[in-house]
PDB file of all heavy atoms in Angstrom:
ATOM      1  N   SER G   1      52.493  17.909 -21.882  1.00 87.00           N
ATOM      2  CA  SER G   1      53.147  18.140 -23.052  1.00 87.00           C
ATOM      3  C   SER G   1      52.492  19.313 -23.796  1.00 87.00           C
ATOM      4  O   SER G   1      53.180  20.159 -24.514  1.00 87.00           O
ATOM      5  CB  SER G   1      53.137  16.839 -23.979  1.00 87.00           C
ATOM      6  OG  SER G   1      53.808  15.879 -23.334  1.00 87.00           O
ATOM      7  N   ALA G   2      51.169  19.271 -23.782  1.00 91.00           N
ATOM      8  CA  ALA G   2      50.403  20.454 -24.441  1.00 91.00           C
ATOM      9  C   ALA G   2      50.794  21.808 -23.712  1.00 91.00           C
ATOM     10  O   ALA G   2      51.010  22.769 -24.463  1.00 91.00           O
ATOM     11  CB  ALA G   2      48.918  20.276 -24.360  1.00 91.00           C
ATOM     12  N   ALA G   3      50.928  21.802 -22.505  1.00 91.00           N
ATOM     13  CA  ALA G   3      51.395  23.022 -21.781  1.00 91.00           C
ATOM     14  C   ALA G   3      52.769  23.387 -22.187  1.00 91.00           C
ATOM     15  O   ALA G   3      53.152  24.542 -22.250  1.00 91.00           O
ATOM     16  CB  ALA G   3      51.183  22.829 -20.254  1.00 91.00           C
ATOM     17  N   PHE G   4      53.588  22.395 -22.329  1.00 89.00           N
ATOM     18  CA  PHE G   4      54.912  22.624 -22.794  1.00 89.00           C
ATOM     19  C   PHE G   4      55.064  23.413 -24.151  1.00 89.00           C
ATOM     20  O   PHE G   4      55.863  24.278 -24.298  1.00 89.00           O
ATOM     21  CB  PHE G   4      55.837  21.322 -22.876  1.00 89.00           C
ATOM     22  CG  PHE G   4      57.218  21.356 -22.726  1.00 89.00           C
ATOM     23  CD1 PHE G   4      57.836  21.315 -21.473  1.00 89.00           C
ATOM     24  CD2 PHE G   4      58.028  21.645 -23.883  1.00 89.00           C
ATOM     25  CE1 PHE G   4      59.232  21.363 -21.378  1.00 89.00           C
ATOM     26  CE2 PHE G   4      59.510  21.851 -23.755  1.00 89.00           C
ATOM     27  CZ  PHE G   4      59.998  21.620 -22.476  1.00 89.00           C
ATOM     28  N   GLY G   5      54.234  22.904 -25.013  1.00 89.00           N
ATOM     29  CA  GLY G   5      54.036  23.639 -26.388  1.00 89.00           C
ATOM     30  C   GLY G   5      53.686  25.013 -26.188  1.00 89.00           C
ATOM     31  O   GLY G   5      54.236  25.967 -26.809  1.00 89.00           O
ATOM     32  N   VAL G   6      52.633  25.378 -25.330  1.00 92.00           N
ATOM     33  CA  VAL G   6      52.098  26.724 -25.162  1.00 92.00           C
ATOM     34  C   VAL G   6      53.176  27.642 -24.560  1.00 92.00           C
ATOM     35  O   VAL G   6      53.493  28.689 -25.037  1.00 92.00           O
ATOM     36  CB  VAL G   6      50.851  26.736 -24.387  1.00 92.00           C
ATOM     37  CG1 VAL G   6      50.377  28.023 -24.010  1.00 92.00           C
ATOM     38  CG2 VAL G   6      49.791  25.877 -24.991  1.00 92.00           C
ATOM     39  N   ALA G   7      53.948  27.077 -23.519  1.00 91.00           N
ATOM     40  CA  ALA G   7      54.916  27.819 -22.879  1.00 91.00           C
ATOM     41  C   ALA G   7      56.067  28.193 -23.858  1.00 91.00           C
ATOM     42  O   ALA G   7      56.680  29.165 -23.794  1.00 91.00           O
ATOM     43  CB  ALA G   7      55.401  27.156 -21.668  1.00 91.00           C
ATOM     44  N   SER G   8      56.334  27.175 -24.778  1.00 90.00           N
ATOM     45  CA  SER G   8      57.442  27.375 -25.689  1.00 90.00           C
ATOM     46  C   SER G   8      57.162  28.506 -26.665  1.00 90.00           C
ATOM     47  O   SER G   8      58.007  29.315 -26.998  1.00 90.00           O
ATOM     48  CB  SER G   8      57.711  26.119 -26.517  1.00 90.00           C
ATOM     49  OG  SER G   8      58.134  25.047 -25.667  1.00 90.00           O
ATOM     50  N   LEU G   9      55.876  28.619 -27.083  1.00 91.00           N
ATOM     51  CA  LEU G   9      55.469  29.653 -27.926  1.00 91.00           C
ATOM     52  C   LEU G   9      55.574  31.005 -27.198  1.00 91.00           C
ATOM     53  O   LEU G   9      56.012  32.041 -27.795  1.00 91.00           O
ATOM     54  CB  LEU G   9      53.988  29.468 -28.428  1.00 91.00           C
ATOM     55  CG  LEU G   9      53.670  28.654 -29.659  1.00 91.00           C
ATOM     56  CD1 LEU G   9      52.231  28.384 -29.773  1.00 91.00           C
ATOM     57  CD2 LEU G   9      54.392  29.118 -30.770  1.00 91.00           C
ATOM     58  N   LEU G  10      55.190  31.117 -25.897  1.00 91.00           N
ATOM     59  CA  LEU G  10      55.302  32.248 -25.155  1.00 91.00           C
ATOM     60  C   LEU G  10      56.762  32.711 -24.974  1.00 91.00           C
ATOM     61  O   LEU G  10      57.098  33.892 -25.081  1.00 91.00           O
ATOM     62  CB  LEU G  10      54.579  31.954 -23.715  1.00 91.00           C
ATOM     63  CG  LEU G  10      54.701  33.221 -22.663  1.00 91.00           C
ATOM     64  CD1 LEU G  10      53.957  34.426 -23.346  1.00 91.00           C
ATOM     65  CD2 LEU G  10      54.095  32.741 -21.465  1.00 91.00           C
ATOM     66  N   ALA G  11      57.609  31.744 -24.776  1.00 89.00           N
ATOM     67  CA  ALA G  11      58.991  32.035 -24.647  1.00 89.00           C
ATOM     68  C   ALA G  11      59.602  32.480 -25.938  1.00 89.00           C
ATOM     69  O   ALA G  11      60.439  33.468 -25.856  1.00 89.00           O
ATOM     70  CB  ALA G  11      59.793  30.836 -24.210  1.00 89.00           C
ATOM     71  N   ALA G  12      59.265  31.918 -27.000  1.00 89.00           N
ATOM     72  CA  ALA G  12      59.934  32.367 -28.331  1.00 89.00           C
ATOM     73  C   ALA G  12      59.568  33.755 -28.685  1.00 89.00           C
ATOM     74  O   ALA G  12      60.286  34.430 -29.312  1.00 89.00           O
ATOM     75  CB  ALA G  12      59.291  31.405 -29.406  1.00 89.00           C
ATOM     76  N   TYR G  13      58.331  34.179 -28.319  1.00 91.00           N
ATOM     77  CA  TYR G  13      57.885  35.568 -28.730  1.00 91.00           C
ATOM     78  C   TYR G  13      57.723  36.537 -27.510  1.00 91.00           C
ATOM     79  O   TYR G  13      57.072  37.477 -27.525  1.00 91.00           O
ATOM     80  CB  TYR G  13      56.596  35.436 -29.522  1.00 91.00           C
ATOM     81  CG  TYR G  13      56.708  34.668 -30.805  1.00 91.00           C
ATOM     82  CD1 TYR G  13      56.200  33.365 -30.979  1.00 91.00           C
ATOM     83  CD2 TYR G  13      57.321  35.291 -31.904  1.00 91.00           C
ATOM     84  CE1 TYR G  13      56.347  32.629 -32.124  1.00 91.00           C
ATOM     85  CE2 TYR G  13      57.399  34.622 -33.083  1.00 91.00           C
ATOM     86  CZ  TYR G  13      56.986  33.357 -33.257  1.00 91.00           C
ATOM     87  OH  TYR G  13      57.080  32.644 -34.394  1.00 91.00           O
ATOM     88  N   ALA G  14      58.467  36.237 -26.482  1.00 87.00           N
ATOM     89  CA  ALA G  14      58.451  37.027 -25.317  1.00 87.00           C
ATOM     90  C   ALA G  14      58.899  38.547 -25.597  1.00 87.00           C
ATOM     91  O   ALA G  14      59.951  38.665 -26.212  1.00 87.00           O
ATOM     92  CB  ALA G  14      59.332  36.465 -24.143  1.00 87.00           C
ATOM     93  N   PRO G  15      58.091  39.484 -25.227  1.00 86.00           N
ATOM     94  CA  PRO G  15      58.448  40.816 -25.627  1.00 86.00           C
ATOM     95  C   PRO G  15      59.478  41.455 -24.672  1.00 86.00           C
ATOM     96  O   PRO G  15      59.917  42.560 -24.933  1.00 86.00           O
ATOM     97  CB  PRO G  15      57.042  41.551 -25.500  1.00 86.00           C
ATOM     98  CG  PRO G  15      56.227  40.762 -24.493  1.00 86.00           C
ATOM     99  CD  PRO G  15      56.740  39.421 -24.683  1.00 86.00           C
ATOM    100  N   GLY G  16      59.672  40.847 -23.567  1.00 85.00           N
ATOM    101  CA  GLY G  16      60.545  41.398 -22.496  1.00 85.00           C
ATOM    102  C   GLY G  16      61.085  40.362 -21.687  1.00 85.00           C
ATOM    103  O   GLY G  16      60.657  39.138 -21.735  1.00 85.00           O
ATOM    104  N   ALA G  17      62.068  40.699 -20.742  1.00 82.00           N
ATOM    105  CA  ALA G  17      62.777  39.728 -19.982  1.00 82.00           C
ATOM    106  C   ALA G  17      61.808  39.126 -18.934  1.00 82.00           C
ATOM    107  O   ALA G  17      61.838  37.864 -18.642  1.00 82.00           O
ATOM    108  CB  ALA G  17      63.914  40.411 -19.180  1.00 82.00           C
ATOM    109  N   GLY G  18      60.877  39.952 -18.423  1.00 86.00           N
ATOM    110  CA  GLY G  18      59.880  39.319 -17.543  1.00 86.00           C
ATOM    111  C   GLY G  18      59.014  38.332 -18.109  1.00 86.00           C
ATOM    112  O   GLY G  18      58.745  37.306 -17.403  1.00 86.00           O
ATOM    113  N   TRP G  19      58.622  38.507 -19.258  1.00 89.00           N
ATOM    114  CA  TRP G  19      57.708  37.509 -19.973  1.00 89.00           C
ATOM    115  C   TRP G  19      58.579  36.189 -20.168  1.00 89.00           C
ATOM    116  O   TRP G  19      58.090  35.123 -20.037  1.00 89.00           O
ATOM    117  CB  TRP G  19      57.275  38.023 -21.365  1.00 89.00           C
ATOM    118  CG  TRP G  19      56.047  38.879 -21.168  1.00 89.00           C
ATOM    119  CD1 TRP G  19      55.947  40.255 -21.176  1.00 89.00           C
ATOM    120  CD2 TRP G  19      54.699  38.447 -21.041  1.00 89.00           C
ATOM    121  NE1 TRP G  19      54.708  40.659 -21.016  1.00 89.00           N
ATOM    122  CE2 TRP G  19      53.834  39.511 -20.956  1.00 89.00           C
ATOM    123  CE3 TRP G  19      54.123  37.121 -20.981  1.00 89.00           C
ATOM    124  CZ2 TRP G  19      52.508  39.537 -20.782  1.00 89.00           C
ATOM    125  CZ3 TRP G  19      52.706  37.043 -20.788  1.00 89.00           C
ATOM    126  CH2 TRP G  19      51.995  38.195 -20.638  1.00 89.00           C
ATOM    127  N   LEU G  20      59.822  36.336 -20.569  1.00 88.00           N
ATOM    128  CA  LEU G  20      60.728  35.169 -20.774  1.00 88.00           C
ATOM    129  C   LEU G  20      60.880  34.383 -19.456  1.00 88.00           C
ATOM    130  O   LEU G  20      60.845  33.104 -19.588  1.00 88.00           O
ATOM    131  CB  LEU G  20      62.014  35.626 -21.386  1.00 88.00           C
ATOM    132  CG  LEU G  20      62.966  34.495 -21.774  1.00 88.00           C
ATOM    133  CD1 LEU G  20      62.269  33.439 -22.693  1.00 88.00           C
ATOM    134  CD2 LEU G  20      64.205  34.968 -22.410  1.00 88.00           C
ATOM    135  N   ILE G  21      61.140  35.026 -18.328  1.00 87.00           N
ATOM    136  CA  ILE G  21      61.230  34.394 -17.136  1.00 87.00           C
ATOM    137  C   ILE G  21      59.963  33.692 -16.843  1.00 87.00           C
ATOM    138  O   ILE G  21      59.995  32.401 -16.332  1.00 87.00           O
ATOM    139  CB  ILE G  21      61.600  35.396 -16.053  1.00 87.00           C
ATOM    140  CG1 ILE G  21      62.986  35.900 -16.283  1.00 87.00           C
ATOM    141  CG2 ILE G  21      61.498  34.887 -14.579  1.00 87.00           C
ATOM    142  CD1 ILE G  21      63.300  37.235 -15.322  1.00 87.00           C
ATOM    143  N   LEU G  22      58.775  34.267 -16.976  1.00 89.00           N
ATOM    144  CA  LEU G  22      57.496  33.588 -16.681  1.00 89.00           C
ATOM    145  C   LEU G  22      57.365  32.340 -17.594  1.00 89.00           C
ATOM    146  O   LEU G  22      56.989  31.259 -17.098  1.00 89.00           O
ATOM    147  CB  LEU G  22      56.354  34.555 -16.944  1.00 89.00           C
ATOM    148  CG  LEU G  22      54.953  33.887 -16.845  1.00 89.00           C
ATOM    149  CD1 LEU G  22      54.681  33.366 -15.539  1.00 89.00           C
ATOM    150  CD2 LEU G  22      53.848  34.965 -17.256  1.00 89.00           C
ATOM    151  N   ALA G  23      57.717  32.467 -18.915  1.00 90.00           N
ATOM    152  CA  ALA G  23      57.670  31.340 -19.746  1.00 90.00           C
ATOM    153  C   ALA G  23      58.531  30.240 -19.437  1.00 90.00           C
ATOM    154  O   ALA G  23      58.174  29.077 -19.411  1.00 90.00           O
ATOM    155  CB  ALA G  23      57.841  31.877 -21.205  1.00 90.00           C
ATOM    156  N   ARG G  24      59.756  30.592 -18.969  1.00 87.00           N
ATOM    157  CA  ARG G  24      60.759  29.571 -18.518  1.00 87.00           C
ATOM    158  C   ARG G  24      60.254  28.749 -17.279  1.00 87.00           C
ATOM    159  O   ARG G  24      60.343  27.602 -17.077  1.00 87.00           O
ATOM    160  CB  ARG G  24      62.047  30.149 -18.220  1.00 87.00           C
ATOM    161  CG  ARG G  24      62.809  30.628 -19.471  1.00 87.00           C
ATOM    162  CD  ARG G  24      63.423  29.450 -20.228  1.00 87.00           C
ATOM    163  NE  ARG G  24      64.557  28.916 -19.404  1.00 87.00           N
ATOM    164  CZ  ARG G  24      65.210  27.852 -19.808  1.00 87.00           C
ATOM    165  NH1 ARG G  24      64.764  27.057 -20.717  1.00 87.00           N
ATOM    166  NH2 ARG G  24      66.242  27.351 -19.069  1.00 87.00           N
ATOM    167  N   ALA G  25      59.499  29.515 -16.375  1.00 87.00           N
ATOM    168  CA  ALA G  25      58.966  28.915 -15.211  1.00 87.00           C
ATOM    169  C   ALA G  25      57.758  27.996 -15.596  1.00 87.00           C
ATOM    170  O   ALA G  25      57.753  26.855 -15.068  1.00 87.00           O
ATOM    171  CB  ALA G  25      58.424  29.981 -14.246  1.00 87.00           C
ATOM    172  N   LEU G  26      56.960  28.424 -16.543  1.00 90.00           N
ATOM    173  CA  LEU G  26      55.952  27.565 -17.006  1.00 90.00           C
ATOM    174  C   LEU G  26      56.402  26.292 -17.756  1.00 90.00           C
ATOM    175  O   LEU G  26      55.882  25.184 -17.619  1.00 90.00           O
ATOM    176  CB  LEU G  26      55.008  28.310 -17.970  1.00 90.00           C
ATOM    177  CG  LEU G  26      54.179  29.459 -17.322  1.00 90.00           C
ATOM    178  CD1 LEU G  26      53.341  30.214 -18.444  1.00 90.00           C
ATOM    179  CD2 LEU G  26      53.195  28.889 -16.215  1.00 90.00           C
ATOM    180  N   LEU G  27      57.536  26.438 -18.491  1.00 88.00           N
ATOM    181  CA  LEU G  27      58.182  25.305 -19.017  1.00 88.00           C
ATOM    182  C   LEU G  27      58.667  24.358 -17.951  1.00 88.00           C
ATOM    183  O   LEU G  27      58.593  23.126 -18.177  1.00 88.00           O
ATOM    184  CB  LEU G  27      59.392  25.741 -19.944  1.00 88.00           C
ATOM    185  CG  LEU G  27      59.017  26.358 -21.256  1.00 88.00           C
ATOM    186  CD1 LEU G  27      60.304  26.985 -21.880  1.00 88.00           C
ATOM    187  CD2 LEU G  27      58.568  25.191 -22.156  1.00 88.00           C
ATOM    188  N   GLY G  28      59.144  24.909 -16.859  1.00 85.00           N
ATOM    189  CA  GLY G  28      59.497  23.980 -15.725  1.00 85.00           C
ATOM    190  C   GLY G  28      58.364  23.347 -15.063  1.00 85.00           C
ATOM    191  O   GLY G  28      58.441  21.999 -14.863  1.00 85.00           O
ATOM    192  N   VAL G  29      57.167  23.865 -14.964  1.00 87.00           N
ATOM    193  CA  VAL G  29      55.961  23.297 -14.406  1.00 87.00           C
ATOM    194  C   VAL G  29      55.562  22.160 -15.350  1.00 87.00           C
ATOM    195  O   VAL G  29      55.340  20.998 -14.990  1.00 87.00           O
ATOM    196  CB  VAL G  29      54.842  24.286 -14.309  1.00 87.00           C
ATOM    197  CG1 VAL G  29      53.524  23.544 -13.960  1.00 87.00           C
ATOM    198  CG2 VAL G  29      55.075  25.342 -13.363  1.00 87.00           C
ATOM    199  N   ALA G  30      55.639  22.486 -16.717  1.00 87.00           N
ATOM    200  CA  ALA G  30      55.214  21.393 -17.696  1.00 87.00           C
ATOM    201  C   ALA G  30      56.262  20.211 -17.757  1.00 87.00           C
ATOM    202  O   ALA G  30      55.766  19.075 -17.703  1.00 87.00           O
ATOM    203  CB  ALA G  30      55.095  22.032 -19.087  1.00 87.00           C
ATOM    204  N   GLY G  31      57.523  20.602 -17.636  1.00 83.00           N
ATOM    205  CA  GLY G  31      58.578  19.507 -17.618  1.00 83.00           C
ATOM    206  C   GLY G  31      58.442  18.702 -16.361  1.00 83.00           C
ATOM    207  O   GLY G  31      58.797  17.419 -16.475  1.00 83.00           O
ATOM    208  N   ALA G  32      58.062  19.225 -15.267  1.00 83.00           N
ATOM    209  CA  ALA G  32      57.860  18.415 -14.031  1.00 83.00           C
ATOM    210  C   ALA G  32      56.799  17.373 -14.183  1.00 83.00           C
ATOM    211  O   ALA G  32      56.785  16.285 -13.460  1.00 83.00           O
ATOM    212  CB  ALA G  32      57.654  19.331 -12.879  1.00 83.00           C
ATOM    213  N   THR G  33      55.789  17.661 -15.015  1.00 84.00           N
ATOM    214  CA  THR G  33      54.707  16.639 -15.313  1.00 84.00           C
ATOM    215  C   THR G  33      55.147  15.574 -16.211  1.00 84.00           C
ATOM    216  O   THR G  33      54.663  14.470 -16.177  1.00 84.00           O
ATOM    217  CB  THR G  33      53.522  17.317 -15.899  1.00 84.00           C
ATOM    218  OG1 THR G  33      53.753  17.791 -17.231  1.00 84.00           O
ATOM    219  CG2 THR G  33      53.050  18.444 -15.046  1.00 84.00           C
ATOM    220  N   ILE G  34      56.095  15.843 -17.099  1.00 81.00           N
ATOM    221  CA  ILE G  34      56.537  14.910 -18.159  1.00 81.00           C
ATOM    222  C   ILE G  34      57.561  13.944 -17.578  1.00 81.00           C
ATOM    223  O   ILE G  34      57.333  12.609 -17.774  1.00 81.00           O
ATOM    224  CB  ILE G  34      57.112  15.611 -19.373  1.00 81.00           C
ATOM    225  CG1 ILE G  34      56.064  16.531 -20.055  1.00 81.00           C
ATOM    226  CG2 ILE G  34      57.723  14.748 -20.346  1.00 81.00           C
ATOM    227  CD1 ILE G  34      56.608  17.379 -21.094  1.00 81.00           C
ATOM    228  N   MET G  35      58.554  14.308 -16.869  1.00 75.00           N
ATOM    229  CA  MET G  35      59.660  13.434 -16.538  1.00 75.00           C
ATOM    230  C   MET G  35      59.247  12.285 -15.715  1.00 75.00           C
ATOM    231  O   MET G  35      59.423  11.122 -16.036  1.00 75.00           O
ATOM    232  CB  MET G  35      60.780  14.262 -15.830  1.00 75.00           C
ATOM    233  CG  MET G  35      61.469  15.198 -16.718  1.00 75.00           C
ATOM    234  SD  MET G  35      62.435  14.397 -18.082  1.00 75.00           S
ATOM    235  CE  MET G  35      63.853  13.918 -17.192  1.00 75.00           C
TER     236      MET G  35
END
């Protein structure tokens, strides 16, 4: 859950498409721990 919050911040303020893709992948990692 903590990692999900950090990845959400990274996604919200992503400066480019590459950063947003990375943030979405990190959200997937965090989501896989939660479900």
Side-chain angles (χ1 to χ4, degrees):
S1 300
F4 203 92
V6 173
S8 297
L9 279 173
L10 179 60
Y13 296 103
W19 279 99
L20 184 55
I21 292 170
L22 174 63
R24 289 282 289 167
L26 293 176
L27 282 167
V29 174
T33 69
I34 294 173
M35 291 296 282

